[in-house]
Amino acid sequence: MKTFKRIGVLTSGGDAPGMNAAARAVARVALERGIEVMGIYRGYSGLISGDIKPLGPRDVSNIINRGGTFLYSDRCPEFKTPEGMQQAIDTCHRFGIDGIVALGGDGTFRGATDLTAHGIPCVGVPCTIDNDITSTENTIGFDTAMNTVVEIIDKLRDTCESHARCNVVEVMGRGAGDIALKTAIASGATAVVVPEFPYDDKSICKKIKAGKELGKRNFIVIVSEGVGSDYAPTLAKTIQAETGVETKFARLAHIVRGGNPTLADRVLASRMGAFAAEELLRGNSNVVVCEVNGKIVAKDINYALILDRMYKGTLKDGDLDKFSAEDIERMKAEIEVKKATLLDLFAVGNKINI
Ligand code: ADP
Ligand code: F6P
């Protein structure tokens, strides 16, 4: 079994609240076992350029409560080129980095699997507010982002109630309606629009009109950004024209990606970060850490990436060739669970919010 002397930790892609807590857990577990830990700054960019510093136990103090990432993040197209990859490998050798825990989303995991194939074992930890990693029930940052959305919508509702208005609120989620569906329930939104389910302006306006007739004064409509950036502002105009309810539009955008992580994200990040370091050190690499039925487990990165493609309907020719019939059945079952979860959230929202 490979022995480790020094491992690296990096954060890559879109930042997510809880990344700091996860990096802290990785460092604390490894240091406790006498393994040196290097902080790799600016994701794969820092791995290419050698923006790397040792992390001691105190270097990760006072960060469990902080949003953003103290290691900084980056999107690094150069890393996808053979030259960029070679430079990253050379940096690992120069700094004596024997393995890496990579915190990020599916792009980050693609990079991690390439690094593993080039002899640097990696473990991925799912950090993204979107919750769009199909292999895990929850991603780090999702809970905090939703809590921020709900806090803001509560404020919007106050002013809507005072003025008898509607507010169309666009929330983040690149192609994934998870944030929108859950916050719609929690904020009592009149309607929610996500790319996963059919929607039409007419039925939204009908619901608002019906509510108005019953004496309802405030209306919140949540739209997930995945339906397209023009949709929500146009919907606000349509609602005003069709219902006579004055309607404002708000795009929450990156506001919901910042801020201190919630308790749930701190705990999830600590559990996943600790598990990732243990997994790497016990010689199990090329895996992504996932939450399944509340338990923290490891799944093969390639399995997780192809599962995502199957879920999103973006499978390419030959993608399934390396998987057994059993694996493919398991993927299909996981997708059914994910779809059923979203459908349940959608149905509950529609049932109880008028
Ligand atoms: P996320 O990890 O949040 O999905 P990105 O998709 O931007 O964010 O990916 C983060 C980084 O991972 C990219 O900037 C790039 O350096 C690396 N990466 C993304 N896709 C690949 C790929 N196909 N092969 C190798 N590295 C990749
Ligand atoms: O993936 C996280 C996310 O915040 C998405 O919700 C959003 O579409 C995207 O990243 C925004 O990316 P950027 O920070 O590059 O604007």
Side-chain angles (χ1 to χ4, degrees):
M1 197 172 89
K2 185 176 168 74
T3 52
F4 290 86
K5 188 168 173 290
R6 187 177 292 156
I7 65 165
V9 55
L10 61 80
T11 55
S12 156
D15 66 349
M19 273 183 158
N20 285 326
R24 169 182 179 270
V26 170
R28 290 267 164 93
V29 164
L31 290 167
E32 177 66 25
R33 294 182 180 202
I35 311 293
E36 291 172 34
V37 180
M38 305 298 274
I40 301 162
Y41 290 78
R42 296 182 295 109
Y44 293 127
S45 299
L47 195 60
I48 289 177
S49 66
D51 191 359
I52 295 172
K53 290 183 204 118
L55 292 179
R58 302 269 55 85
D59 293 320
V60 290
S61 296
N62 303 321
I63 61 166
I64 193 169
N65 54 324
R66 278 177 44 203
T69 160
F70 83 104
L71 291 171
Y72 310 133
S73 195
D74 205 2
R75 309 220 193 246
C76 176
E78 198 189 343
F79 184 70
K80 296 191 208 173
T81 66
E83 298 75 29
M85 175 56 64
Q86 192 50 55
Q87 279 175 291
I89 300 291
D90 292 346
T91 307
C92 288
H93 293 153
R94 191 151 44 93
F95 282 84
I97 293 174
D98 307 316
I100 291 176
V101 176
L103 316 184
D106 56 354
T108 301
F109 302 154
R110 271 188 209 111
T113 197
D114 287 355
L115 272 173
T116 307
H118 284 82
I120 306 295
C122 290
V123 171
V125 178
C127 298
T128 164
I129 63 164
D130 295 352
N131 204 40
D132 62 346
I133 311 283
T134 318
S135 51
T136 182
E137 279 156 14
N138 287 292
T139 56
I140 295 166
F142 176 46
D143 187 69
T144 307
M146 288 191 296
N147 276 285
T148 305
V149 168
V150 167
E151 194 186 327
I152 296 169
I153 291 179
D154 287 348
K155 293 182 203 301
L156 290 173
R157 178 187 296 282
D158 287 347
T159 169
C160 283
E161 178 70 10
S162 305
H163 292 270
R165 281 179 182 156
C166 172
N167 220 308
V168 175
V169 185
E170 187 197 88
V171 299
M172 272 191 167
R174 185 170 24 198
D178 299 45
I179 294 177
L181 287 171
K182 277 200 165 177
T183 57
I185 294 174
S187 62
T190 300
V192 60
V193 178
V194 293
E196 288 89 343
F197 299 113
Y199 50 89
D200 72 283
D201 298 5
K202 260 195 192 144
S203 52
I204 295 172
C205 291
K206 202 171 146 200
K207 225 174 162 193
I208 291 173
K209 265 192 203 159
K212 187 180 164 190
E213 275 157 27
L214 288 171
K216 186 170 167 63
R217 286 177 63 81
N218 71 74
F219 300 90
I220 299 290
V221 176
I222 300 186
V223 177
S224 182
E225 68 164 334
V227 300
S229 60
D230 292 340
Y231 181 77
T234 310
L235 175 66
K237 289 189 188 126
T238 307
I239 291 172
Q240 180 156 320
E242 295 294 317
T243 66
V245 176
E246 192 185 353
T247 303
K248 303 284 179 188
F249 165 65
R251 175 170 284 139
L252 304 191
H254 295 80
I255 284 183
V256 305
R257 227 165 73 184
N260 297 346
T262 55
L263 177 143
D265 271 331
R266 293 180 202 195
V267 173
L268 183 66
S270 299
R271 292 173 74 206
M272 285 186 161
F275 187 89
E278 282 162 357
E279 206 61 7
L280 182 65
L281 297 179
R282 75 167 71 100
N284 195 16
S285 64
N286 209 35
V287 291
V288 55
V289 177
C290 299
E291 187 187 10
V292 177
N293 296 327
K295 276 202 176 128
I296 305 299
V297 300
K299 292 189 191 177
D300 179 75
I301 289 191
N302 292 315
Y303 175 94
L305 290 173
I306 298 305
L307 173 65
D308 263 339
R309 283 201 194 149
M310 193 188 262
Y311 175 68
K312 289 167 189 157
T314 55
L315 276 178
K316 294 180 191 148
D317 280 351
D319 269 355
L320 294 176
D321 291 354
K322 277 185 247 143
F323 296 96
S324 65
E326 242 177 29
D327 280 340
I328 295 169
E329 282 315 304
R330 201 174 326 132
M331 283 180 191
K332 286 183 183 160
E334 288 198 48
I335 287 168
E336 285 318 307
V337 170
K338 172 85 186 183
K339 283 188 176 167
T341 306
L342 294 188
L343 184 60
D344 180 58
L345 293 170
F346 188 60
V348 168
N350 282 332
K351 228 180 278 171
I352 64 172
N353 296 337
I354 54 158

